[in-house]
Short mmCIF file of all heavy atoms in Angstrom, two decimals:
data_model
loop_
_atom_site.label_atom_id
_atom_site.label_comp_id
_atom_site.label_asym_id
_atom_site.label_seq_id
_atom_site.Cartn_x
_atom_site.Cartn_y
_atom_site.Cartn_z
N MET A 1 41.86 82.47 45.58
CA MET A 1 41.74 83.06 46.88
C MET A 1 41.33 82.10 47.93
O MET A 1 40.46 81.23 47.65
CB MET A 1 40.64 84.17 46.82
CG MET A 1 41.14 85.46 46.16
SD MET A 1 42.23 86.37 47.27
CE MET A 1 41.08 87.20 48.32
N ALA A 2 41.91 82.19 49.06
CA ALA A 2 41.54 81.34 50.11
C ALA A 2 40.19 81.66 50.69
O ALA A 2 39.97 82.87 51.00
CB ALA A 2 42.57 81.36 51.28
N ASN A 3 39.33 80.73 50.80
CA ASN A 3 37.95 80.97 51.35
C ASN A 3 37.69 80.09 52.53
O ASN A 3 38.23 78.97 52.63
CB ASN A 3 36.93 80.70 50.29
CG ASN A 3 36.62 81.84 49.46
OD1 ASN A 3 36.60 82.91 49.91
ND2 ASN A 3 36.39 81.60 48.14
N PRO A 4 36.89 80.56 53.54
CA PRO A 4 36.61 79.71 54.63
C PRO A 4 35.80 78.54 54.19
O PRO A 4 34.83 78.71 53.46
CB PRO A 4 35.93 80.69 55.66
CG PRO A 4 35.43 81.78 54.81
CD PRO A 4 36.43 81.83 53.61
N THR A 5 36.18 77.35 54.67
CA THR A 5 35.42 76.15 54.24
C THR A 5 34.05 76.08 54.98
O THR A 5 33.08 75.72 54.43
CB THR A 5 36.23 74.88 54.53
OG1 THR A 5 37.60 75.20 54.12
CG2 THR A 5 35.76 73.75 53.72
N HIS A 6 34.12 76.33 56.29
CA HIS A 6 32.93 76.21 57.13
C HIS A 6 32.71 77.52 57.89
O HIS A 6 33.71 78.28 58.20
CB HIS A 6 33.05 75.05 58.10
CG HIS A 6 33.15 73.72 57.42
ND1 HIS A 6 32.07 73.17 56.82
CD2 HIS A 6 34.24 72.97 57.18
CE1 HIS A 6 32.47 72.01 56.25
NE2 HIS A 6 33.81 71.84 56.56
N ARG A 7 31.47 77.86 58.02
CA ARG A 7 31.11 79.00 58.80
C ARG A 7 31.21 78.71 60.30
O ARG A 7 30.77 77.51 60.74
CB ARG A 7 29.66 79.34 58.48
CG ARG A 7 29.18 80.62 59.14
CD ARG A 7 27.68 80.74 58.83
NE ARG A 7 27.26 81.98 59.53
CZ ARG A 7 26.31 82.76 58.91
NH1 ARG A 7 25.78 82.51 57.76
NH2 ARG A 7 25.82 83.75 59.62
N HIS A 8 31.83 79.54 61.00
CA HIS A 8 31.94 79.36 62.48
C HIS A 8 30.64 79.84 63.14
O HIS A 8 29.98 80.60 62.63
CB HIS A 8 33.10 80.14 63.04
CG HIS A 8 34.52 79.56 62.66
ND1 HIS A 8 35.62 80.24 62.97
CD2 HIS A 8 34.83 78.43 61.95
CE1 HIS A 8 36.67 79.54 62.44
NE2 HIS A 8 36.18 78.49 61.89
N THR A 9 30.42 79.21 64.23
CA THR A 9 29.23 79.47 65.05
C THR A 9 29.26 80.91 65.58
O THR A 9 30.35 81.46 65.75
CB THR A 9 28.97 78.46 66.18
OG1 THR A 9 30.19 78.62 67.05
CG2 THR A 9 28.87 77.06 65.67
N ARG A 10 28.19 81.49 66.05
CA ARG A 10 28.13 82.73 66.65
C ARG A 10 29.01 82.71 67.86
O ARG A 10 29.69 83.68 68.24
CB ARG A 10 26.75 83.14 67.03
CG ARG A 10 26.01 83.80 65.98
CD ARG A 10 24.51 83.97 66.36
NE ARG A 10 23.81 82.71 66.27
CZ ARG A 10 22.62 82.47 66.78
NH1 ARG A 10 22.00 83.47 67.26
NH2 ARG A 10 21.97 81.32 66.62
N SER A 11 28.87 81.60 68.61
CA SER A 11 29.69 81.38 69.83
C SER A 11 31.14 81.48 69.68
O SER A 11 31.84 82.19 70.26
CB SER A 11 29.24 80.11 70.47
OG SER A 11 30.27 79.71 71.49
N ARG A 12 31.57 80.80 68.62
CA ARG A 12 32.99 80.79 68.33
C ARG A 12 33.45 82.20 67.86
O ARG A 12 34.55 82.59 68.20
CB ARG A 12 33.20 79.72 67.15
CG ARG A 12 34.68 79.24 67.16
CD ARG A 12 34.80 78.12 66.28
NE ARG A 12 36.25 78.09 65.79
CZ ARG A 12 36.71 77.03 65.07
NH1 ARG A 12 35.91 76.02 64.79
NH2 ARG A 12 37.93 77.12 64.68
N ARG A 13 32.64 82.84 67.03
CA ARG A 13 32.99 84.13 66.60
C ARG A 13 33.09 85.10 67.71
O ARG A 13 34.01 85.90 67.87
CB ARG A 13 31.88 84.65 65.58
CG ARG A 13 32.12 86.04 65.06
CD ARG A 13 30.72 86.54 64.52
NE ARG A 13 29.77 86.77 65.65
CZ ARG A 13 28.47 86.89 65.49
NH1 ARG A 13 28.01 86.94 64.24
NH2 ARG A 13 27.68 87.10 66.49
N ASP A 14 32.09 85.05 68.64
CA ASP A 14 32.11 86.00 69.71
C ASP A 14 33.21 85.66 70.79
O ASP A 14 33.67 86.66 71.43
CB ASP A 14 30.71 85.91 70.38
CG ASP A 14 29.63 86.49 69.38
OD1 ASP A 14 29.99 87.09 68.44
OD2 ASP A 14 28.39 86.25 69.77
N LYS A 15 33.49 84.46 70.91
CA LYS A 15 34.70 84.20 71.83
C LYS A 15 35.89 84.73 71.30
O LYS A 15 36.76 85.18 72.05
CB LYS A 15 34.79 82.58 71.93
CG LYS A 15 33.94 82.02 73.06
CD LYS A 15 34.18 80.47 73.10
CE LYS A 15 33.01 79.75 73.58
NZ LYS A 15 33.07 78.35 73.26
N ARG A 16 36.04 84.72 69.96
CA ARG A 16 37.30 85.29 69.35
C ARG A 16 37.29 86.76 69.56
O ARG A 16 38.25 87.35 69.94
CB ARG A 16 37.29 84.94 67.82
CG ARG A 16 38.55 85.37 67.14
CD ARG A 16 38.54 85.08 65.64
NE ARG A 16 37.48 85.80 64.97
CZ ARG A 16 36.47 85.28 64.24
NH1 ARG A 16 36.42 83.90 64.13
NH2 ARG A 16 35.55 85.96 63.62
N ARG A 17 36.20 87.34 69.36
CA ARG A 17 36.13 88.85 69.53
C ARG A 17 36.22 89.30 70.95
O ARG A 17 36.44 90.50 71.25
CB ARG A 17 34.83 89.33 68.82
CG ARG A 17 34.94 89.19 67.34
CD ARG A 17 33.69 89.72 66.70
NE ARG A 17 33.72 89.45 65.33
CZ ARG A 17 32.78 89.63 64.39
NH1 ARG A 17 31.57 90.20 64.88
NH2 ARG A 17 32.86 89.32 63.15
N ALA A 18 35.92 88.37 71.97
CA ALA A 18 36.01 88.69 73.31
C ALA A 18 37.37 89.13 73.74
O ALA A 18 37.62 89.73 74.76
CB ALA A 18 35.49 87.58 74.12
N ASN A 19 38.44 88.69 72.98
CA ASN A 19 39.80 88.96 73.32
C ASN A 19 40.25 90.27 72.79
O ASN A 19 41.41 90.65 73.00
CB ASN A 19 40.63 87.81 72.82
CG ASN A 19 40.41 86.61 73.57
OD1 ASN A 19 40.35 86.58 74.80
ND2 ASN A 19 40.33 85.46 72.82
N TRP A 20 39.39 90.96 72.03
CA TRP A 20 39.86 92.26 71.42
C TRP A 20 39.78 93.27 72.67
O TRP A 20 38.84 93.42 73.33
CB TRP A 20 38.77 92.78 70.42
CG TRP A 20 38.77 91.98 69.15
CD1 TRP A 20 39.54 90.80 68.87
CD2 TRP A 20 38.08 92.22 67.94
NE1 TRP A 20 39.29 90.33 67.55
CE2 TRP A 20 38.39 91.18 66.95
CE3 TRP A 20 37.17 93.25 67.53
CZ2 TRP A 20 37.77 91.20 65.75
CZ3 TRP A 20 36.62 93.17 66.33
CH2 TRP A 20 36.99 92.18 65.42
N LYS A 21 40.86 93.93 72.67
CA LYS A 21 40.87 94.96 73.77
C LYS A 21 41.18 96.28 73.23
O LYS A 21 41.95 96.44 72.26
CB LYS A 21 41.99 94.55 74.78
CG LYS A 21 41.64 93.32 75.54
CD LYS A 21 42.71 92.95 76.56
CE LYS A 21 42.46 91.71 77.20
NZ LYS A 21 42.92 90.56 76.42
N GLY A 22 40.69 97.33 73.86
CA GLY A 22 41.08 98.67 73.51
C GLY A 22 42.53 98.91 73.83
O GLY A 22 43.03 98.35 74.84
N GLN A 23 43.26 99.59 72.98
CA GLN A 23 44.67 99.97 73.21
C GLN A 23 44.71 101.05 74.35
O GLN A 23 44.22 102.19 74.12
CB GLN A 23 45.27 100.39 71.99
CG GLN A 23 45.26 99.28 70.90
CD GLN A 23 46.65 98.62 70.89
OE1 GLN A 23 47.69 99.12 70.88
NE2 GLN A 23 46.49 97.26 70.87
N ILE A 24 45.35 100.68 75.43
CA ILE A 24 45.51 101.68 76.53
C ILE A 24 46.93 102.32 76.27
O ILE A 24 47.92 101.55 76.37
CB ILE A 24 45.32 100.99 77.90
CG1 ILE A 24 44.00 100.39 78.03
CG2 ILE A 24 45.61 102.08 79.00
CD1 ILE A 24 43.97 99.31 79.10
N PRO A 25 46.99 103.58 76.02
CA PRO A 25 48.31 104.20 75.75
C PRO A 25 49.12 104.21 77.08
O PRO A 25 48.58 104.43 78.23
CB PRO A 25 48.05 105.57 75.40
CG PRO A 25 46.60 105.89 75.84
CD PRO A 25 45.92 104.59 75.91
N ASN A 26 50.43 103.81 76.92
CA ASN A 26 51.30 103.71 78.05
C ASN A 26 51.64 105.20 78.41
O ASN A 26 51.98 106.06 77.56
CB ASN A 26 52.63 103.03 77.56
CG ASN A 26 53.45 102.64 78.78
OD1 ASN A 26 52.91 102.53 79.88
ND2 ASN A 26 54.76 102.43 78.49
N ILE A 27 51.57 105.47 79.64
CA ILE A 27 51.91 106.88 80.14
C ILE A 27 53.06 106.84 81.12
O ILE A 27 53.01 106.05 81.99
CB ILE A 27 50.55 107.43 80.78
CG1 ILE A 27 49.47 107.61 79.69
CG2 ILE A 27 50.86 108.73 81.50
CD1 ILE A 27 48.14 108.05 80.21
N ILE A 28 53.94 107.73 80.84
CA ILE A 28 55.11 107.85 81.76
C ILE A 28 55.05 109.27 82.28
O ILE A 28 54.36 110.15 81.87
CB ILE A 28 56.42 107.66 81.05
CG1 ILE A 28 56.51 108.61 79.80
CG2 ILE A 28 56.67 106.18 80.58
CD1 ILE A 28 57.94 108.91 79.45
N THR A 29 55.69 109.57 83.31
CA THR A 29 55.92 110.92 83.86
C THR A 29 57.18 111.54 83.32
O THR A 29 58.25 110.87 83.26
CB THR A 29 55.89 110.96 85.42
OG1 THR A 29 56.83 109.90 85.89
CG2 THR A 29 54.59 110.59 85.96
N CYS A 30 57.12 112.75 82.90
CA CYS A 30 58.18 113.49 82.36
C CYS A 30 59.32 113.63 83.36
O CYS A 30 58.95 114.05 84.51
CB CYS A 30 57.70 114.88 81.81
SG CYS A 30 58.93 115.96 81.29
N PRO A 31 60.51 113.42 83.09
CA PRO A 31 61.62 113.54 84.08
C PRO A 31 61.88 115.01 84.36
O PRO A 31 62.52 115.34 85.43
CB PRO A 31 62.86 112.84 83.33
CG PRO A 31 62.54 112.81 81.96
CD PRO A 31 61.04 112.81 81.80
N GLU A 32 61.47 115.95 83.45
CA GLU A 32 61.74 117.36 83.68
C GLU A 32 60.73 117.99 84.49
O GLU A 32 60.99 118.70 85.50
CB GLU A 32 61.85 118.01 82.30
CG GLU A 32 63.12 117.65 81.50
CD GLU A 32 64.35 118.10 82.20
OE1 GLU A 32 64.59 119.31 82.41
OE2 GLU A 32 65.21 117.16 82.52
N CYS A 33 59.47 117.76 84.23
CA CYS A 33 58.28 118.62 84.78
C CYS A 33 57.40 117.64 85.52
O CYS A 33 56.48 118.11 86.16
CB CYS A 33 57.54 119.42 83.70
SG CYS A 33 56.70 118.37 82.54
N HIS A 34 57.64 116.34 85.45
CA HIS A 34 56.83 115.36 86.19
C HIS A 34 55.32 115.39 85.82
O HIS A 34 54.50 115.06 86.60
CB HIS A 34 57.06 115.45 87.73
CG HIS A 34 58.54 115.53 88.04
ND1 HIS A 34 59.30 114.34 88.07
CD2 HIS A 34 59.31 116.55 88.50
CE1 HIS A 34 60.58 114.72 88.38
NE2 HIS A 34 60.53 116.04 88.61
N GLU A 35 55.18 115.68 84.58
CA GLU A 35 53.70 115.62 84.07
C GLU A 35 53.51 114.36 83.35
O GLU A 35 54.49 113.88 82.76
CB GLU A 35 53.50 116.87 83.11
CG GLU A 35 53.24 118.21 83.84
CD GLU A 35 51.93 118.28 84.59
OE1 GLU A 35 50.88 117.96 83.96
OE2 GLU A 35 51.89 118.79 85.67
N PRO A 36 52.37 113.76 83.33
CA PRO A 36 52.20 112.51 82.50
C PRO A 36 52.25 112.79 80.99
O PRO A 36 51.63 113.79 80.49
CB PRO A 36 50.77 112.08 82.94
CG PRO A 36 50.10 113.26 83.50
CD PRO A 36 51.10 114.18 84.04
N THR A 37 53.18 112.03 80.31
CA THR A 37 53.30 112.19 78.87
C THR A 37 53.31 110.76 78.26
O THR A 37 53.44 109.82 79.08
CB THR A 37 54.58 112.93 78.52
OG1 THR A 37 55.64 112.29 79.22
CG2 THR A 37 54.44 114.38 78.82
N LEU A 38 53.26 110.75 76.92
CA LEU A 38 53.58 109.40 76.24
C LEU A 38 55.02 109.15 76.00
O LEU A 38 55.76 110.07 75.84
CB LEU A 38 52.87 109.63 74.86
CG LEU A 38 51.32 109.79 74.82
CD1 LEU A 38 50.83 110.13 73.42
CD2 LEU A 38 50.57 108.54 75.28
N PRO A 39 55.32 107.91 76.18
CA PRO A 39 56.75 107.61 75.82
C PRO A 39 57.25 107.79 74.54
O PRO A 39 56.37 107.61 73.58
CB PRO A 39 56.85 106.11 76.29
CG PRO A 39 55.46 105.55 76.11
CD PRO A 39 54.56 106.78 76.43
N HIS A 40 58.41 108.10 74.28
CA HIS A 40 59.08 108.36 72.99
C HIS A 40 58.38 109.57 72.26
O HIS A 40 58.38 109.68 71.01
CB HIS A 40 59.01 107.05 72.07
CG HIS A 40 59.52 105.79 72.80
ND1 HIS A 40 58.70 104.82 73.10
CD2 HIS A 40 60.77 105.59 73.23
CE1 HIS A 40 59.49 103.83 73.65
NE2 HIS A 40 60.66 104.28 73.86
N ARG A 41 57.94 110.46 73.07
CA ARG A 41 57.35 111.66 72.50
C ARG A 41 57.93 112.90 73.29
O ARG A 41 58.37 112.78 74.42
CB ARG A 41 55.83 111.73 72.66
CG ARG A 41 55.07 110.65 72.01
CD ARG A 41 55.06 110.74 70.49
NE ARG A 41 54.18 109.76 69.84
CZ ARG A 41 54.48 108.51 69.76
NH1 ARG A 41 55.52 107.95 70.23
NH2 ARG A 41 53.56 107.67 69.23
N VAL A 42 57.98 114.03 72.55
CA VAL A 42 58.38 115.26 73.23
C VAL A 42 57.21 115.56 74.31
O VAL A 42 56.10 115.47 73.95
CB VAL A 42 58.50 116.42 72.27
CG1 VAL A 42 58.74 117.77 72.90
CG2 VAL A 42 59.74 116.07 71.32
N CYS A 43 57.60 115.94 75.43
CA CYS A 43 56.67 116.29 76.49
C CYS A 43 55.83 117.53 76.03
O CYS A 43 56.42 118.51 75.59
CB CYS A 43 57.36 116.62 77.77
SG CYS A 43 56.29 117.28 79.03
N GLY A 44 54.54 117.43 76.10
CA GLY A 44 53.63 118.53 75.76
C GLY A 44 53.60 119.71 76.67
O GLY A 44 53.14 120.73 76.38
N ASN A 45 54.11 119.40 77.93
CA ASN A 45 54.06 120.49 78.92
C ASN A 45 55.33 121.34 78.89
O ASN A 45 55.18 122.52 78.93
CB ASN A 45 53.98 119.89 80.30
CG ASN A 45 53.70 120.81 81.31
OD1 ASN A 45 52.70 121.60 81.28
ND2 ASN A 45 54.48 120.75 82.36
N CYS A 46 56.53 120.74 78.83
CA CYS A 46 57.78 121.52 78.88
C CYS A 46 58.63 121.45 77.59
O CYS A 46 59.50 122.04 77.48
CB CYS A 46 58.60 121.12 80.06
SG CYS A 46 59.24 119.37 79.98
N GLY A 47 58.18 120.59 76.64
CA GLY A 47 58.88 120.58 75.36
C GLY A 47 60.16 119.86 75.44
O GLY A 47 61.07 120.16 74.56
N SER A 48 60.40 118.97 76.31
CA SER A 48 61.73 118.27 76.47
C SER A 48 61.58 116.88 76.00
O SER A 48 60.52 116.24 76.08
CB SER A 48 62.25 118.31 77.84
OG SER A 48 61.51 117.54 78.79
N TYR A 49 62.64 116.31 75.56
CA TYR A 49 62.72 114.84 75.30
C TYR A 49 64.16 114.40 75.70
O TYR A 49 65.15 115.07 75.35
CB TYR A 49 62.59 114.69 73.81
CG TYR A 49 62.58 113.24 73.38
CD1 TYR A 49 61.57 112.41 73.87
CD2 TYR A 49 63.47 112.74 72.54
CE1 TYR A 49 61.60 111.07 73.50
CE2 TYR A 49 63.62 111.39 72.15
CZ TYR A 49 62.53 110.57 72.68
OH TYR A 49 62.63 109.18 72.33
N LYS A 50 64.21 113.32 76.33
CA LYS A 50 65.42 112.77 76.85
C LYS A 50 66.30 113.83 77.65
O LYS A 50 67.44 114.05 77.43
CB LYS A 50 66.29 112.14 75.77
CG LYS A 50 65.71 110.84 75.28
CD LYS A 50 66.79 109.97 74.61
CE LYS A 50 66.19 108.60 74.31
NZ LYS A 50 67.14 107.74 73.62
N LYS A 51 65.52 114.53 78.55
CA LYS A 51 66.07 115.49 79.46
C LYS A 51 66.70 116.76 78.69
O LYS A 51 67.50 117.52 79.24
CB LYS A 51 67.15 114.93 80.39
CG LYS A 51 66.49 113.87 81.40
CD LYS A 51 67.41 113.66 82.51
CE LYS A 51 66.63 112.87 83.46
NZ LYS A 51 67.40 112.50 84.75
N LYS A 52 66.38 116.89 77.43
CA LYS A 52 66.91 118.03 76.64
C LYS A 52 65.67 118.80 76.16
O LYS A 52 64.79 118.26 75.74
CB LYS A 52 67.71 117.53 75.35
CG LYS A 52 69.04 117.14 75.59
CD LYS A 52 69.79 116.84 74.36
CE LYS A 52 71.25 116.24 74.64
NZ LYS A 52 71.76 115.80 73.27
N LYS A 53 65.82 120.12 76.38
CA LYS A 53 64.77 120.97 75.90
C LYS A 53 64.93 121.25 74.47
O LYS A 53 65.89 121.83 74.00
CB LYS A 53 64.76 122.32 76.78
CG LYS A 53 63.49 123.00 76.66
CD LYS A 53 63.47 124.21 77.67
CE LYS A 53 62.25 125.08 77.45
NZ LYS A 53 61.04 124.53 78.09
N ILE A 54 63.95 120.74 73.62
CA ILE A 54 64.10 120.90 72.22
C ILE A 54 62.98 121.68 71.61
O ILE A 54 63.05 122.03 70.46
CB ILE A 54 64.24 119.55 71.46
CG1 ILE A 54 63.18 118.56 71.93
CG2 ILE A 54 65.58 118.92 71.72
CD1 ILE A 54 63.13 117.39 71.03
N LEU A 55 61.92 121.97 72.37
CA LEU A 55 60.82 122.85 71.80
C LEU A 55 60.52 123.85 72.87
O LEU A 55 60.52 123.65 74.00
CB LEU A 55 59.53 121.93 71.51
CG LEU A 55 59.62 120.97 70.33
CD1 LEU A 55 58.30 120.20 70.45
CD2 LEU A 55 59.75 121.75 69.03
N GLU A 56 60.15 124.92 72.25
CA GLU A 56 59.67 126.05 73.11
C GLU A 56 58.17 125.94 73.23
O GLU A 56 57.44 125.76 72.26
CB GLU A 56 59.92 127.50 72.51
CG GLU A 56 61.50 127.84 72.65
CD GLU A 56 61.98 127.95 74.04
OE1 GLU A 56 61.19 128.52 74.91
OE2 GLU A 56 63.12 127.50 74.40
N VAL A 57 57.64 125.87 74.45
CA VAL A 57 56.20 125.73 74.67
C VAL A 57 55.61 127.15 74.88
O VAL A 57 56.04 127.87 75.69
CB VAL A 57 55.86 124.81 75.85
CG1 VAL A 57 54.40 124.76 76.07
CG2 VAL A 57 56.49 123.49 75.64
N ILE A 58 54.66 127.47 74.03
CA ILE A 58 53.93 128.77 74.11
C ILE A 58 52.84 128.76 75.21
O ILE A 58 52.06 127.77 75.20
CB ILE A 58 53.33 129.25 72.77
CG1 ILE A 58 54.43 129.26 71.73
CG2 ILE A 58 52.68 130.47 72.86
CD1 ILE A 58 53.79 129.04 70.24
N GLU A 59 53.02 129.56 76.17
CA GLU A 59 52.04 129.57 77.26
C GLU A 59 50.67 130.08 76.76
O GLU A 59 50.67 131.13 76.05
CB GLU A 59 52.54 130.53 78.35
CG GLU A 59 53.82 130.01 79.08
CD GLU A 59 53.57 128.79 79.91
OE1 GLU A 59 52.46 128.59 80.51
OE2 GLU A 59 54.44 127.88 79.93
N LYS A 60 49.70 129.28 77.08
CA LYS A 60 48.31 129.73 76.64
C LYS A 60 47.80 130.81 77.61
O LYS A 60 47.90 130.71 78.81
CB LYS A 60 47.37 128.52 76.68
CG LYS A 60 47.41 127.75 75.41
CD LYS A 60 46.41 126.55 75.48
CE LYS A 60 46.67 125.57 74.29
NZ LYS A 60 45.84 124.48 74.45
N GLU A 61 47.20 131.84 76.99
CA GLU A 61 46.56 132.94 77.83
C GLU A 61 45.17 132.45 78.15
O GLU A 61 44.46 132.14 77.22
CB GLU A 61 46.55 134.19 77.05
CG GLU A 61 47.95 134.89 76.84
CD GLU A 61 48.57 135.37 78.07
OE1 GLU A 61 47.87 135.94 78.94
OE2 GLU A 61 49.78 135.20 78.17
N SER A 62 44.80 132.33 79.38
CA SER A 62 43.54 131.80 79.81
C SER A 62 42.67 132.96 80.39
O SER A 62 43.11 133.99 80.72
CB SER A 62 43.69 130.72 80.80
OG SER A 62 44.40 131.15 81.89
ZN1 LIG B 101 57.82 117.84 80.77
#
């Protein structure tokens, strides 16, 4: 098994970890209802994908 030969300093470790970023999900607007949705997903608001309605969205009673 490959093992690290030398221990890196705290500074070096923390500099490496400083480049970790949270993943920000890409958000597009739905071409049908213009609500913000995730790309390559069926729209949660109107149930359409690629301008085709493929899911029926049940209206929530509030
Ligand atoms: Zn939509």
